[in-house]
Amino acid sequence: MNLKAYFDEKKGLGVLSTADDQGAVNAAVYARPHVLEEGHLAFIMRDRLSHHNLDSNPHAAYLFREDGPGYKGLRLHLTKLREESGTDLVREMCRRCRIDDSPDAVRYLVTFQVDRELPLIGPGESVE
């Protein structure tokens, strides 16, 4: 699937799930990801639990439910590739940075590879 076209076109609710190195799970509401040229996804994060979990466990899942009737959307299994903070790219990509420009509002651009794409519900549930 062309994720750039998908996320440019669809509106909805996204949830990023992470776990720490002990397996304690966290889920947080996140905006649609930025889709980079190489097909990787990037999220702007603050230094909160999701970001902290990714320091010890690079695996995450992103669930996106499209606006509208029914249950349409995607589940994406992700692996963290890299992160950066304080760069021009972070400032350029941050959709909400102008809302809170306080000095302690450090943001990270965290980039992931997509390991697996599944529909929100339906086929693809079997363990391979």
Side-chain angles (χ1 to χ4, degrees):
M1 168 182 288
N2 181 336
L3 292 176
K4 178 154 182 46
Y6 178 82
F7 286 115
D8 283 347
E9 176 182 310
K10 303 295 183 186
K11 304 285 189 238
L13 175 71
V15 176
L16 183 70
S17 297
T18 59
D20 66 17
D21 59 350
Q22 301 298 304
V25 177
N26 178 60
V29 173
Y30 268 81
R32 291 171 294 157
H34 298 275
V35 182
L36 308 178
E37 288 183 19
E38 57 274 359
H40 297 147
L41 301 184
F43 293 92
I44 300 289
M45 298 182 161
R46 291 216 181 160
D47 195 20
R48 294 187 176 152
L49 188 53
S50 296
H51 181 255
H52 178 75
N53 285 349
L54 290 165
D55 285 340
S56 61
N57 180 351
H59 302 287
Y62 182 70
L63 177 148
F64 183 79
R65 182 186 178 274
E66 296 176 18
D67 285 345
Y71 295 97
K72 295 179 186 172
L74 293 174
R75 290 175 292 153
L76 303 173
H77 294 238
L78 309 170
T79 302
K80 178 183 168 185
L81 296 172
R82 63 185 173 277
E83 71 175 58
E84 58 188 89
S85 177
T87 65
D88 289 338
L89 183 58
V90 174
R91 285 184 287 281
E92 176 186 324
M93 296 185 90
C94 188
R95 294 175 180 139
R96 295 184 154 191
C97 290
R98 291 179 243 7
I99 293 172
D100 182 3
D101 287 328
S102 62
D104 62 336
V106 175
R107 290 178 176 80
Y108 299 86
L109 179 68
V110 182
T111 303
F112 296 87
Q113 75 181 18
V114 178
D115 299 321
R116 189 172 184 193
E117 292 179 35
L118 296 170
L120 186 59
I121 57 173
E125 293 297 324
S126 63
V127 176
E128 298 177 53

